[in-house]
């Protein structure tokens, strides 16, 4: 029986993936298929789904940093969007005859965006660390915090004094950090993360609080540790595996009726309004149209958290059971729509740019384009390890050099070290159109994405830039294309590493 469940989820998830849809859309469909075939659910499916949710919330806790949530664009855009969508949705559900408490929770749930899809899209395009990637991630975390509060409200449990024990959890940070530090092997790091996530859930449940909140708190307890990124990466696949059970369970719960499907389609028709609202709020926060557009597309979905909160509200008898099927269809549909749109978000913006830039505010903030490089004559694009090395090499030869990067943290650290760096996203076509190149003699491109390097070289030559262009290359097939577009010098980092090793060891 387990083979039937897992293989069905895999096959339909594979079909969804080949159609450029998130696999979790396939898992929801797999649940419907298994339900339609009258195949009995696995005995422990609900328990596996609960573990997946706890691991998800533990992962959210790992990323919680108050500083990232206190930025003006995060609070203004994320907070305003939640309030507006919650208020409007609650009024609609109240007009439909639903209970106001259930309508409020469901309305807030529809304001959440899919964490899984947004992170996957940004990670695939290497934009998680970019300015708009950080804004999107921070807004998602803000939404997740609100979702936790909704879960606690929907749970309907009366808190006792024993619940105050959970307040001790953050004070155990030194011990938790010490355990993570001494856990040097990958297996031990993963085991510690799972143990803390499930342990937090058991502790919370024992004092009458939702186990999801306990898992979140233990995640917060580990936040800011240097190994957090390693732990998050190791937990990602395991969490996704257990969440498959959650999506299958949703699909198995109830097969949607025609009326429920129509309601779900009506909710999907509201998605452009949600995207438009995000876009308007980002512009009001002072961001450029491109940043606002790409960020809005990443957030223009219904969240998997909506499935969790809706299930809790239904179990608390605040909403009819039919809403579970409606929301599951709406979530799956929104992910199916958003996935291809996000894949081509930059191309879509280029097409709509002449219209969208008209709505930009004159005063811009952190994503403004550089207006001048001063007296600098060399430009390094991408200030990772390779870019910084190139920057320092030029600086040591008394060359006037400036660095460009889209990661605010990288820029902040380099500025603190006294380096001359400015903000700029290499994928931004407007950047290359407006880049002040009058005094620039040469450009060094160290961004890892091949397509971005190609676009940069093409745009530079299109503008008539006659200076030297040097870049990196990882595969032989790429070199010919980079030269054709106008690159003067191409270095193969991995090949050069081998050459330098031999050269140094033989001297």
């Amino acid at each position: 029986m387990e083979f039937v469940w897992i293989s069905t989820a895999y096959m339909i998830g594979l079909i969804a993936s080949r159609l450029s849809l998130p696999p979790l859309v396939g898992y929801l469909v797999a649940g419907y298929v298994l339900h339609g075939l009258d195949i009995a659910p696995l005995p422990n499916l609900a328990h596996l789904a609960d573990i997946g949710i706890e691991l998800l919330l533990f992962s959210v806790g790992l990323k919680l940093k108050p500083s990232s949530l206190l930025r003006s664009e995060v609070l203004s855009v994320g907070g305003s969007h939640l309030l507006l969508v919650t208020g409007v949705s609650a009024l609609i559900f109240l007009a439909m005859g639903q209970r106001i408490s259930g309508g409020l929770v469901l309305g807030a749930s529809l304001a959440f965006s899919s964490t899984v899809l947004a992170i996957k899209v940004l990670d695939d395009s290497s934009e998680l660390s970019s300015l708009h990637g950080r804004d999107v991630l921070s807004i998602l975390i803000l939404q997740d915090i609100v979702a936790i509060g909704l879960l606690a409200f929907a749970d309907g449990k009366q808190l006792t004094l024993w619940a105050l024990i959970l307040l001790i959890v953050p004070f155990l940070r030194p011990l938790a950090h010490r355990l993570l530090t001494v856990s040097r092997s990958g297996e031990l790091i993963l085991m510690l993360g799972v143990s803390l996530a499930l342990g937090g859930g058991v502790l919370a449940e024992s004092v009458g609080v939702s186990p999801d909140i306990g898992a979140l708190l233990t995640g917060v307890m580990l936040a800011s540790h240097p190994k957090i990124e390693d732990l998050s990466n190791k937990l990602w696949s395991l969490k996704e595996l257990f969440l498959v059970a959650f999506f299958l369970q949703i699909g198995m719960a109830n097969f949607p009726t025609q009326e429920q499907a129509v309601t779900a389609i009506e909710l999907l028709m509201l998605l452009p309004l949600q995207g438009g609202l995000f876009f308007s709020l980002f512009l009001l926060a002072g961001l450029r149209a491109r940043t606002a557009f790409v960020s809005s597309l990443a957030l223009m979905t219904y969240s998997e958290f909506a499935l969790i909160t809706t299930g809790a509200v239904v179990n608390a008898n605040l909403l009819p059971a039919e809403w579970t099927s409606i929301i599951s269809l709406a979530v799956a549909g929104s992910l199916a729509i958003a996935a291809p749109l996000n894949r081509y978000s930059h191309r879509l913006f280029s097409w709509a740019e002449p219209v969208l830039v008209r709505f930009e505010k004159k005063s811009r903030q952190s994503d403004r384009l550089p207006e001048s490089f001063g007296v600098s004559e060399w430009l390094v694009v991408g200030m990772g390890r390779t870019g910084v090395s190139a920057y320092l090499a030029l600086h040591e030869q008394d060359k006037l050099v400036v660095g460009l990067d889209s990661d605010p943290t990288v820029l902040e650290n380099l500025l603190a070290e006294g380096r001359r760096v400015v903000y700029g996203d290499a994928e931004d076509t407007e950047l290359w159109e407006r880049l002040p190149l009058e005094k620039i003699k040469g450009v060094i491109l160290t961004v890892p994405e091949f397509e971005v390097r190609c676009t940069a070289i093409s745009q530079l030559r299109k503008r008539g830039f006659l200076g030297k262009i040097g870049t990196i290359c990882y595969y032989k097939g790429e070199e010919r294309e980079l030269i054709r577009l106008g690159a003067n010098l191409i270095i193969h980092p991995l090949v050069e590493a081998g050459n330098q090793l031999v050269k140094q060891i033989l001297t």
Side-chain angles (χ1 to χ4, degrees), residues 34 48 69 71 73 87 93 112 146 149 157 185 232 270 281 292-293 296 302 314 365 379 384 392 421 479 496 501:
L34 292 167
L48 294 175
L69 298 178
R71 297 206 309 276
E73 60 264 33
F93 289 124
F112 303 151
V146 176
K157 296 181 180 178
S185 69
S232 297
L270 296 176
L281 291 172
F293 181 81
S296 300
Y302 294 130
V314 169
Q365 295 181 346
L379 172 64
L392 294 175
V421 290
E479 183 173 359
E496 289 300 317
L501 278 172

Side-chain angles (χ1 to χ4, degrees), residues 70-91:
L70 294 177
R71 297 206 309 276
S72 59
E73 60 264 33
V74 174
L75 292 175
S76 60
V77 176
S80 300
H81 180 268
L82 278 170
L83 290 174
L84 288 171
V85 175
T86 300
V88 173
S89 300
L91 290 175

